[in-house]
Amino acid sequence: MRRYIIPPKKKSRGENSKNSAKDETNQRVEKINSNSEKAKLSTKIGGEPADSAEIADRTAKSATTAGTRGFSVDDSNKSQSRETEKNRISARLIDRDVVESEDGRRVTIDVYDTGQYEEYVMGDKVIRTRQIKFVLKYKSIVKECVGRNCKDAVKEITKATYSHPSTKEIMAKINELREEYETSEEVPLTDYVKQKYADKLAEIEKDPITWIMQRTKEIVGYDRLKLLTFLSLVSSRMERIMGMSRIHVMVVGGSGTGKSSTVKSMLKFADDIVIQSTRVTQNALGYLPIDTFDGHVLFIEQIDRQSMNYLRELMTEEKVCTTVTEKATGEDGEERLVSHQRCIEGQPAVITTSVVDTIDVDKEQIFNRMLKVYVKSDQSVEDRIWKAIMNRGKNDVDPVDAMTFKAWLLTRPAYAKIPEDVTNAVIEFMRKLKEYTREPLNRTVEIARNLIIVTAIMRGRSEATLDDWRFVAENFQLDLLYNGLGLSERDVEFIEMLPDNDGLKSSEVADKLRVSKQYAINVLKNLERKGLVEGEKSDNKTFIWYLTPLGRQIKALVNNVGGVIEVRNEKGELIGVADSKFRNESDGRSNTGNAMYNDDSRTVQRGDGETNRVIEAYKFLKEHGAMSTAELTELFGDDIIEKLKAKDLVTFNIVDGVEYVNAK
């Protein structure tokens, strides 16, 4: 492992450190470290005789704990535990100094090397800092502290000395000693993780989606949103190219549907690159303490009723410029407020949330840069969602998981080239889509391209393959379709609900979709503006809504987008095709239900009961991701694992002693 050592800073110790008491102390320190613990100091420091064994015993209790607050030592209650003995031996006295006030009061500062290191991640490095402990003594009062956490201990000492010497003087001496003895080293994060947590890094490299899904189980029922958030996060790693270089996501749903909680469950693994806010203005962007937006995720909660025009520039340009006002001192020494332009280069991945009934339907220029996820309660898993909420604890991340994830992200290629065969496959998809819209599809092509690139770099490849495009088509073909048509899943839900050859009143539409009448009218008027529905007044005040020919055409298109997940029997014969992995019936494909379609006839596959049970279990895994074998057998029977294995439909892995099953 290559390490970058930060040499300790050397400072003058001042005249106080050069007196005879100090010289004598240094000699005694050497004696302490070379003789047994019973050796005693024969010189008085600060007016008190010091015993090395006594000092070691007093300081041992927190030798391995960084940031321990100081406390008084009660000699009558000394701990004789094994841990104390261990710490007493490991903590080595390396220096002693004295802070003396003008009236002769002396505070002794003993410096101990604990033999321990504090490790923390900063950017793409792990900082290892040698832990130094200080024991402060004034008469019979002894306080101790570790590293930079000495303010409380010093305050207790100065309270006893009546601030002679003062807190400032003692802290200055501690800082001086700390800078002399507290050394640090920087280790590249990827090297550190590869050496110390190679097995954990291999786990996420093998199957990053399963890895992240297993660690966000506190959120149930929103796997597709998790996947999109995950890919958006990975896209922050992409090398910037002309136009839109990231995957931007807008999560639309009612209050309390779990939008923000789901997004945060994924972003918690990369806190250091996430800019999180509930309200961001264009001017505020100029004050962000960053040099570039590249490598960052901007998460704006609840963007409703906020001006979003600046987001267009943020999501597609190579820099954002804004005017900031700051204090400046003129030649006359007077402070004034001065405005100047500040530009931050780069492009973040933007994720935002919005409540469905406050969507501004005139903001398509923002929306067509984003993949929109329409979130609503999935009644099929409500019990599981409620159970997860009841058992949900703190949204904490295992530090090793966070470190492993960051190292994995840093090892991803910055870009993946798209070969000609993949380009041709995307163009063919867009040609079919173009038959149904007059809207330009350039943004949709950019989104498809970015999804393919991110899928490839997620898999550690610098060149995309047709398999990457198939993954995108499997999971996001409807999203690309909706984006190209200028629609959202919410819009499609309204289109699918209207009958082909008849109309519905506004109140009937609202009742069927369980929304307010005014909300239904707003959505329908937006669809009317796009030429997909038309409203007629039946009695000069009641609107009846009908699909237009284009609306019926799009409804047929959406209902006939084929799935790409094949289910085969043990003979290799095709027995069914399931819908996309992260999409279920609540996502606007209500006509499909739980059916498995025959690849040719599009009719419900009618096999025997056992085959149907295997197919249902397989589809359940596809929709909900990996789960423990115990959970799956509870749902589908004790023999389901063997039947899935016999058909070669699943894979297995063990995490923390628990076996998980995942659909192939």
Side-chain angles (χ1 to χ4, degrees):
M1 181 188 299
R2 185 179 179 185
R3 295 183 176 179
Y4 300 89
I5 308 299
I6 303 176
K9 297 179 180 178
K10 296 291 183 180
K11 287 192 174 183
S12 171
R13 298 286 301 277
E15 293 300 321
N16 188 50
S17 65
K18 297 179 181 179
N19 57 29
S20 58
K22 174 66 180 181
D23 293 339
E24 212 166 331
T25 299
N26 288 337
Q27 295 174 12
R28 301 307 176 190
V29 168
E30 293 178 4
K31 188 173 182 180
I32 290 170
N33 292 326
S34 60
N35 294 340
S36 69
E37 287 187 345
K38 294 183 179 180
K40 295 184 177 181
L41 291 170
S42 60
T43 304
K44 289 186 178 182
I45 304 293
E48 294 291 332
D51 183 287
S52 64
E54 178 186 0
I55 291 173
D57 190 52
R58 287 173 175 170
T59 62
K61 292 182 176 64
S62 64
T64 59
T65 306
T68 302
R69 302 182 70 176
F71 60 90
S72 297
V73 174
D74 185 353
D75 289 339
S76 64
N77 294 301
K78 294 178 182 177
S79 170
Q80 298 299 322
S81 67
R82 292 182 180 178
E83 190 64 28
T84 299
E85 278 303 313
K86 178 182 176 181
N87 292 341
R88 177 186 298 172
I89 295 170
S90 63
R92 183 171 62 89
L93 182 63
I94 56 177
D95 204 347
R96 173 172 290 173
D97 212 328
V98 176
V99 182
E100 185 175 356
S101 64
E102 292 182 357
D103 60 3
R105 301 181 195 184
R106 292 184 171 187
V107 174
T108 305
I109 304 176
D110 285 343
V111 185
Y112 279 80
D113 179 2
T114 67
Q116 303 294 319
Y117 283 82
E118 179 186 22
E119 298 178 343
Y120 58 93
V121 177
M122 181 177 289
D124 59 354
K125 294 180 175 61
V126 174
I127 310 298
R128 301 184 75 245
T129 303
R130 180 188 188 189
Q131 289 294 282
I132 301 299
K133 182 165 63 177
F134 302 96
V135 178
L136 315 178
K137 182 177 179 183
Y138 174 70
K139 295 185 177 179
S140 62
I141 298 174
V142 178
K143 300 291 177 182
E144 60 183 49
C145 56
V146 176
R148 301 172 184 271
N149 300 283
C150 286
K151 288 184 179 179
D152 291 336
V154 172
K155 284 180 181 178
E156 292 294 319
I157 290 290
T158 53
K159 187 186 294 184
T161 67
Y162 298 97
S163 296
H164 297 288
S166 67
T167 299
K168 183 178 180 180
E169 291 172 319
I170 298 174
M171 283 302 303
K173 179 58 66 177
I174 288 175
N175 290 336
E176 182 182 310
L177 290 164
R178 193 186 72 246
E179 289 191 19
E180 182 169 352
Y181 293 109
E182 187 182 80
T183 57
S184 296
E185 61 180 358
E186 294 182 0
V187 183
L189 176 62
T190 52
D191 290 351
Y192 181 86
V193 172
K194 285 178 181 178
Q195 183 182 67
K196 196 167 183 179
Y197 303 109
D199 56 334
K200 295 184 178 295
L201 185 60
E203 181 187 348
I204 186 173
E205 286 179 336
K206 180 180 179 181
D207 190 347
I209 294 176
T210 298
W211 188 95
I212 201 77
M213 293 296 179
Q214 288 176 349
R215 285 158 178 79
T216 53
K217 286 185 175 180
E218 70 275 13
I219 304 295
V220 174
Y222 299 113
D223 287 350
R224 180 166 155 264
L225 173 53
K226 288 182 186 180
L227 178 61
L228 267 179
T229 304
F230 178 59
L231 293 179
S232 179
L233 176 57
V234 176
S235 77
S236 68
R237 172 72 179 161
M238 283 174 57
E239 180 181 283
R240 200 189 326 146
I241 54 181
M242 184 180 296
M244 194 164 61
S245 304
R246 312 282 178 239
I247 295 173
H248 307 301
V249 179
M250 172 173 280
V251 188
V252 183
S255 180
T257 51
K259 305 183 299 296
S260 295
S261 297
T262 305
V263 171
K264 290 175 183 177
S265 73
M266 306 299 285
L267 297 184
K268 67 185 180 183
F269 291 94
D271 278 344
D272 59 330
I273 65 170
V274 176
I275 304 167
Q276 183 171 327
S277 179
T278 55
R279 183 165 293 275
V280 178
T281 64
Q282 185 167 353
N283 285 348
L285 294 174
Y287 292 99
L288 290 174
I290 57 175
D291 297 323
T292 177
F293 280 115
D294 291 336
H296 286 86
V297 176
L298 176 62
F299 175 40
I300 307 173
E301 286 191 75
Q302 205 67 21
I303 201 166
D304 301 310
R305 299 187 181 94
Q306 296 190 48
S307 172
M308 300 199 303
N309 290 334
Y310 65 89
L311 281 181
R312 288 184 298 172
E313 182 182 2
L314 196 65
M315 290 190 290
T316 54
E317 303 300 327
E318 296 188 353
K319 65 180 178 180
V320 174
C321 294
T322 186
T323 301
V324 298
T325 302
E326 298 174 319
K327 287 183 178 180
T329 304
E331 294 180 359
D332 57 1
E334 294 292 326
E335 280 191 346
R336 296 181 179 84
L337 292 177
V338 178
S339 296
H340 62 91
Q341 189 180 62
R342 180 168 187 246
C343 296
I344 303 179
E345 292 190 354
Q347 187 182 122
V350 178
I351 303 174
T352 187
T353 63
S354 179
V355 175
V356 290
D357 56 2
T358 55
I359 286 290
D360 185 340
V361 297
D362 295 321
K363 292 178 178 174
E364 281 89 359
Q365 288 189 351
I366 300 295
F367 293 168
N368 68 14
R369 291 166 166 80
M370 291 181 158
L371 279 172
K372 294 168 286 296
V373 187
Y374 182 34
V375 173
K376 66 176 183 179
S377 298
D378 184 351
Q379 296 181 3
S380 67
V381 293
E382 273 187 338
D383 288 355
R384 291 179 59 210
I385 292 174
W386 297 336
K387 184 177 180 180
I389 292 173
M390 291 297 294
N391 295 324
R392 196 175 294 167
K394 288 176 123 182
N395 195 27
D396 291 336
V397 181
D398 184 312
V400 174
D401 281 346
M403 193 181 301
T404 303
F405 179 83
K406 185 67 182 295
W408 172 81
L409 192 61
L410 289 171
T411 59
R412 298 305 88 192
Y415 187 73
K417 180 182 176 183
I418 298 183
E420 187 175 359
D421 58 343
V422 177
T423 298
N424 292 337
V426 174
I427 290 175
E428 182 63 26
F429 177 88
M430 296 302 162
R431 282 174 178 165
K432 293 178 181 178
L433 179 56
K434 189 63 181 176
E435 297 174 7
Y436 298 90
T437 181
R438 301 184 190 92
E439 297 294 324
L441 296 179
N442 294 358
R443 289 288 181 216
T444 308
V445 174
E446 279 189 294
I447 291 172
R449 177 200 65 200
N450 292 348
L451 283 168
I452 293 168
I453 293 173
V454 170
T455 300
I457 67 177
M458 175 187 70
R459 292 168 166 174
R461 295 200 291 259
S462 58
E463 182 169 332
T465 67
L466 281 173
D467 188 51
D468 297 321
W469 163 241
R470 281 190 287 267
F471 175 88
V472 171
E474 174 186 336
N475 294 296
F476 306 114
Q477 60 181 335
L478 287 177
D479 300 281
L480 295 171
L481 176 68
Y482 299 159
N483 187 277
L485 296 172
L487 302 174
S488 68
E489 288 178 275
R490 175 207 58 187
D491 296 330
V492 173
E493 185 178 41
F494 275 71
I495 292 170
E496 288 192 313
M497 183 273 309
L498 288 172
D500 289 334
N501 300 306
D502 203 355
L504 291 176
K505 296 178 182 179
S506 301
S507 58
E508 292 174 325
V509 173
D511 290 343
K512 284 180 176 291
L513 294 177
R514 298 182 182 181
V515 298
S516 70
K517 181 179 176 181
Q518 187 57 53
Y519 172 63
I521 291 172
N522 290 341
V523 175
L524 289 165
K525 284 185 175 180
N526 181 45
L527 293 174
E528 185 178 40
R529 183 171 58 85
K530 295 178 180 180
L532 304 177
V533 304
E534 56 186 357
E536 293 182 359
K537 285 188 177 181
S538 62
D539 54 7
N540 292 325
K541 65 177 183 179
T542 302
F543 273 96
I544 298 180
W545 299 93
Y546 301 87
L547 287 174
T548 64
L550 179 59
R552 288 193 293 271
Q553 191 178 14
I554 288 176
K555 180 179 179 179
L557 169 68
V558 172
N559 288 340
N560 287 285
V561 173
V564 294
I565 304 174
E566 298 181 348
V567 181
R568 297 181 180 274
N569 61 21
E570 60 271 20
K571 297 179 181 179
E573 300 168 340
L574 184 68
I575 60 173
V577 179
D579 285 327
S580 299
K581 176 163 60 171
F582 289 96
R583 191 179 297 277
N584 56 40
E585 57 196 299
S586 68
D587 293 320
R589 298 295 303 281
S590 57
N591 67 305
T592 61
N594 291 320
M596 300 288 291
Y597 293 102
N598 179 278
D599 194 38
D600 298 319
S601 65
R602 302 282 303 164
T603 57
V604 177
Q605 178 71 27
R606 302 187 183 278
D608 59 83
E610 283 301 295
T611 300
N612 286 340
R613 186 162 62 93
V614 173
I615 293 173
E616 288 300 318
Y618 175 80
K619 183 180 177 184
F620 186 85
L621 285 173
K622 278 290 184 180
E623 290 178 346
H624 298 285
M627 64 189 307
S628 70
T629 54
E631 290 177 308
L632 193 67
T633 54
E634 184 178 346
L635 291 172
F636 294 97
D638 294 339
D639 62 341
I640 194 65
I641 299 298
E642 291 303 320
K643 290 184 178 296
L644 287 168
K645 286 170 63 176
K647 295 181 182 297
D648 194 27
L649 295 174
V650 292
T651 59
F652 300 87
N653 64 323
I654 297 176
V655 180
D656 297 330
V658 178
E659 185 178 44
Y660 289 89
V661 57
N662 191 33
K664 283 189 175 180

